[in-house]
């Protein structure tokens, strides 16, 4: 039976009302799910049953598909570009920034010539493109049936059948081989440290089925570069600096991915997908405010332990202001606002990197 039909009665979310998710899955059939009580109130306003939902197991209306430059590539390879999300580079940047922070801070601490961080930033940038694409392939293989029932994701290549699962698995093999080729450019310490993160990448898509904290698993995986960047440059990890840097990135990920998850909360309720967006509910803004402050504080502390100069702290301060601006302006019941807020969170990571880079350049010029 289709997963949408199995998970919920034949009701659809009102398209005329913004969902405010009042009790989440506890309003569903009694005893169907043993779930922790969410922090906030969650309400889904329901309308009369829709015949197409009962028959097809998917929501009746199709999302607006935005045309992108990928439409100009040959038709045979176009689905693979969409599978990698190359038309949405924000995911790659969010994976890349913790690597860039760590590389630049290590180069600053060791007073290395500019060619060293430039080389490793280039390699990590390429690796971020490849491994973010591989992560998307793994995620879509796990979620291809669920994606058909979610308005935002039903046009993904695997969900709509443009790519078959065997084709996606073969493509994943190519992606992982390319990622391994990049990883072998580093020292053995970094190779082993990098390989140890694959279990997190593979497990993440499953976490949304069993816990309200899949964003935490994503945070553990997406900020591994905060450790790898330093080890690539220095052949070891300065844990006193990298652990608070990693923890700061982890909190930052909880912020931006919770904002992102609010886009799908109405559909997620219906298909048994869990997230911090559902867990936090109406308390999202104050909780994310605490996490934002924690993120900036931890990264700032890492800079203090690394004896960073004033430009670094200007960067972290601006990052904090950017996150505060996002949380003040985002409407968590509006899809467009959530997407805009999610992308804007990425600028915080960029500002931190620019602060570290300015500090490094000042050190070289002095």
């Amino acid at each position: 039976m289709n997963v949408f039909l199995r998970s919920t009665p034949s009701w659809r979310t009102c398209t005329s009302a913004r969902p405010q998710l009042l009790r989440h899955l506890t309003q569903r059939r009694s005893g169907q799910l043993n779930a922790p009580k969410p922090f906030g109130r969650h309400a889904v306003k329901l309308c009369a049953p829709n015949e197409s939902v009962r028959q097809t197991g998917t929501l009746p209306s199709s999302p607006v598909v935005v045309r992108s430059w990928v439409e100009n590539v040959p038709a045979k390879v176009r689905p693979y570009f969409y599978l990698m999300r190359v038309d949405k580079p924000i995911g790659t940047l969010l994976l890349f920034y913790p690597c860039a922070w760590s590389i630049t801070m290590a180069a600053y601490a060791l007073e290395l010539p500019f060619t060293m961080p430039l080389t490793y930033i280039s390699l990590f940038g390429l690796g971020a493109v490849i491994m973010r694409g591989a992560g998307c392939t793994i995620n879509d293989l796990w979620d291809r049936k669920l994606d058909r029932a979610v308005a935002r994701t039903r046009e993904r290549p695997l969900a709509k059948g443009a790519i078959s699962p065997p084709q996606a698995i073969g493509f994943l093999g190519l992606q992982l081989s390319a990622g391994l080729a990049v990883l072998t450019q580093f020292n053995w310490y970094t190779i082993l440290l990098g390989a140890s993160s694959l279990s997190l990448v593979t497990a993440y898509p499953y976490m949304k089925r069993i816990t309200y904290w899949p964003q935490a698993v994503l945070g553990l995986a997406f900020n591994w570069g905060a450790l790898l960047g330093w080890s690539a440059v220095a052949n070891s990890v300065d844990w006193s600096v990298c652990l608070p840097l990693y923890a700061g990135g982890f909190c930052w990920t909880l912020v931006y991915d919770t904002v992102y998850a609010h886009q799908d909360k109405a559909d997620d309720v219906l298909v048994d997908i869990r997230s911090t967006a559902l867990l936090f509910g109406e308390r999202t803004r104050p909780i994310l405010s605490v996490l934002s402050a924690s993120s900036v504080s931890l990264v700032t502390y890492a800079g203090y332990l690394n004896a960073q100069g004033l430009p670094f702290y200007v960067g972290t301060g601006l990052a904090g202001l950017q996150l505060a601006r996002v949380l003040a302006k985002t409407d968590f019941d509006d899809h467009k606002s959530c997407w805009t807020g999610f992308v804007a969170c990425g600028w915080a990571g960029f500002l931190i990197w620019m602060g570290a880079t300015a500090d490094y350049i000042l050190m070289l010029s002095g």
Side-chain angles (χ1 to χ4, degrees):
M1 183 180 292
N2 185 286
V3 67
F4 180 85
L5 294 175
R6 183 175 65 246
S7 300
T8 180
S10 299
W11 294 79
R12 63 184 175 87
T13 306
C14 266
T15 57
S16 61
R18 291 179 180 175
Q20 295 186 0
L21 303 182
L22 187 65
R23 288 189 194 122
H24 183 34
L25 295 172
T26 55
Q27 286 189 329
R28 303 167 42 151
R29 291 193 293 269
S30 176
Q32 186 177 18
L33 178 66
N34 293 323
K37 184 177 180 181
F39 291 137
R41 297 171 61 200
H42 309 289
V44 179
K45 186 174 181 179
L46 298 175
C47 299
N50 181 279
E51 188 65 26
S52 66
V53 175
R54 289 198 297 267
Q55 292 179 356
T56 66
T58 59
L59 299 179
S61 60
S62 297
V64 176
V65 179
V66 179
R67 308 286 287 184
S68 75
W69 64 267
V70 178
E71 292 298 315
N72 297 320
V73 306
K76 288 186 177 180
V77 299
R78 191 180 304 150
Y80 295 97
F81 277 68
Y82 280 123
L83 184 63
M84 294 176 64
R85 316 278 205 278
V86 294
D87 56 322
K88 297 176 180 177
I90 180 61
T92 299
L93 292 172
L94 293 171
L95 180 61
F96 168 73
Y97 286 141
C99 309
W101 303 343
S102 187
I103 291 168
T104 308
M105 292 173 70
Y108 174 89
L110 300 174
E111 299 184 359
L112 299 175
F114 77 92
T115 53
M116 180 73 79
L118 184 62
T119 297
Y120 285 111
I121 283 172
S122 299
L123 286 170
F124 274 87
L126 177 60
V129 172
I130 294 169
M131 293 310 297
R132 189 263 180 144
C136 290
T137 302
I138 293 171
N139 182 80
D140 288 6
L141 280 165
W142 273 103
D143 289 351
R144 62 187 183 276
K145 294 181 180 179
L146 294 176
D147 284 345
R148 295 168 193 160
V150 177
R152 187 181 56 84
T153 59
R154 71 175 67 136
E155 290 298 316
R156 288 178 176 174
L158 275 163
K160 71 177 184 179
I163 298 175
S164 68
Q167 288 174 321
I169 292 171
F171 183 59
L172 177 61
L174 292 176
Q175 290 174 296
L176 293 178
S177 297
L180 180 61
V182 174
L183 189 60
T184 55
Q185 304 306 305
F186 306 129
N187 55 69
W188 275 106
Y189 185 93
T190 304
I191 292 172
L192 295 175
L193 186 61
S196 65
S197 69
L198 288 178
S199 59
L200 291 170
V201 175
T202 304
Y204 163 68
Y206 183 65
M207 292 298 105
K208 67 186 75 172
R209 293 165 169 82
I210 63 174
T211 177
Y212 281 96
W213 292 94
Q215 282 69 29
V217 180
L218 183 71
L220 294 174
F222 251 53
N223 292 283
W224 209 255
L227 310 178
L228 289 178
W230 197 290
S231 69
V233 171
N235 295 319
S236 63
V237 176
D238 186 339
W239 295 103
S240 66
V241 174
C242 289
L243 282 181
L245 188 67
Y246 180 71
F250 173 82
C251 293
W252 176 52
T253 302
L254 287 177
V255 173
Y256 67 67
D257 206 50
T258 299
V259 174
Y260 182 86
H262 270 280
Q263 296 179 100
D264 300 327
K265 58 188 177 182
D267 289 324
D268 286 349
V269 168
L270 299 175
V271 294
D272 276 358
I273 293 301
R274 308 175 201 181
S275 70
T276 48
L278 291 173
L279 183 64
F280 297 163
E282 292 180 355
R283 299 184 186 179
T284 291
R285 208 176 307 276
I287 291 174
L288 294 191
S289 297
V290 172
L291 287 169
S292 296
S294 299
S295 175
V296 173
S297 297
L298 285 163
V299 173
T300 301
Y301 181 58
Y304 169 76
L305 294 174
N306 201 44
Q308 298 283 164
L310 179 61
F312 180 86
Y313 301 112
V314 171
T316 57
L318 291 174
L321 291 175
Q322 175 66 5
L323 291 176
R325 175 178 171 272
V326 169
L327 295 180
K329 295 184 67 174
T330 301
D331 178 354
F332 294 110
D333 292 325
D334 182 81
H335 287 225
K336 184 178 179 181
S337 181
C338 288
W339 174 258
T340 300
F342 166 67
V343 174
C345 284
W347 284 101
F350 176 77
L351 290 167
I352 292 171
W353 181 32
M354 287 300 97
T357 299
D359 211 1
Y360 172 68
I361 292 173
L362 188 63
M363 182 270 295
L364 288 179
S365 63

